[in-house]
Amino acid sequence: MKFLFDLFPILLFFGAYSYTNDIFLATGVTIAATFAQVAYSWIRHRHVDKMLWISLVLITVMGGLTIVFHNKQFIMWKPTVLYWLFTLVLVGAWHLKQNNLIEKLMGAQMNLPRPIWTRLMYAWALFFLAMGALNIFVFHSFDEAIWVKFKVFGTLVLTLIFVVAQSVYLSKHIQPEEKD
């Protein structure tokens, strides 16, 4: 259910764009949907995840610039900015504080040796770096409609492939739980 909740603005963006072929209208719909997500999360749980706040700020800034300046480049850059921000946060937390955010996020679900957690963190950082670069390639090389489809479906498929590949790799390294 959380997965669908997280996809809500993206799916509305795609729906609005598919119906109107208007990236500016679709961007406005996405901004409104993200505000609705934050409001719902706050009303329902009295808590809003950091990632949702980051998403709200990015979509409001990049989407707002898209609408105000009537320039689709801002919204097209948004995924790259987000991916590269993830890369900077992951690598920065590791190099500045030896804080592996992937281990913090997933450590309760599996027991892995420290070097594997480090490889996993770098794998995610490289994945996000590559996804940001791929987004730039797509929006510079193809038309707007192809970029919209890539944004919605291509990134989802690539992420799922990465997660499956990562799961296969991790399955070889998961250690049994230590008993008290």
Side-chain angles (χ1 to χ4, degrees):
M1 206 58 182
K2 181 170 176 4
F3 178 69
L4 288 176
F5 180 75
D6 291 343
L7 284 180
F8 177 66
I10 295 167
L11 294 175
L12 286 180
F13 174 82
F14 181 74
Y17 183 83
S18 295
Y19 187 71
T20 66
N21 286 329
D22 185 342
I23 198 164
F24 305 105
L25 177 71
T27 299
V29 166
T30 307
I31 293 168
T34 308
F35 270 100
Q37 268 187 316
V38 169
Y40 175 82
S41 192
W42 179 253
I43 290 166
R44 175 107 169 136
H45 306 290
R46 291 285 180 236
H47 172 76
V48 178
D49 289 333
K50 284 182 189 176
M51 281 307 308
L52 187 49
W53 282 120
I54 291 168
S55 183
L56 177 67
V57 168
L58 273 176
I59 192 62
T60 302
V61 170
M62 301 300 280
L65 291 170
T66 295
I67 293 167
V68 167
F69 292 111
H70 207 72
N71 183 342
K72 65 186 177 185
Q73 291 293 308
F74 291 107
I75 199 64
M76 290 176 150
W77 270 95
K78 184 223 162 242
T80 295
V81 170
L82 182 63
Y83 290 134
W84 288 355
L85 180 64
F86 288 164
T87 299
L88 284 173
V89 168
L90 287 173
V91 174
W94 177 249
H95 286 281
L96 295 175
K97 296 184 178 183
Q98 293 294 300
N99 193 358
N100 188 327
L101 299 178
I102 298 295
E103 182 178 4
K104 271 190 166 179
L105 184 68
M106 298 171 54
Q109 286 85 22
M110 65 184 84
N111 187 17
L112 295 169
R114 174 90 36 221
I116 302 304
W117 282 117
T118 303
R119 284 186 208 141
L120 187 60
M121 181 272 304
Y122 278 117
W124 275 103
L126 286 171
F127 174 74
F128 288 135
L129 187 67
M131 289 295 286
L134 183 57
N135 182 64
I136 292 170
F137 172 76
V138 171
F139 79 69
H140 278 299
S141 301
F142 301 97
D143 69 11
E144 178 183 291
I146 296 293
W147 176 80
V148 169
K149 289 174 186 161
F150 169 77
K151 164 75 177 101
V152 176
F153 301 110
T155 58
L156 182 61
V157 168
L158 290 172
T159 302
L160 289 174
I161 290 169
F162 178 75
V163 168
V164 168
Q166 164 189 288
S167 298
V168 169
Y169 173 76
L170 290 178
S171 69
K172 300 173 186 174
H173 299 285
I174 294 177
Q175 299 174 334
E177 291 292 319
E178 296 177 15
K179 296 183 179 171
D180 294 332

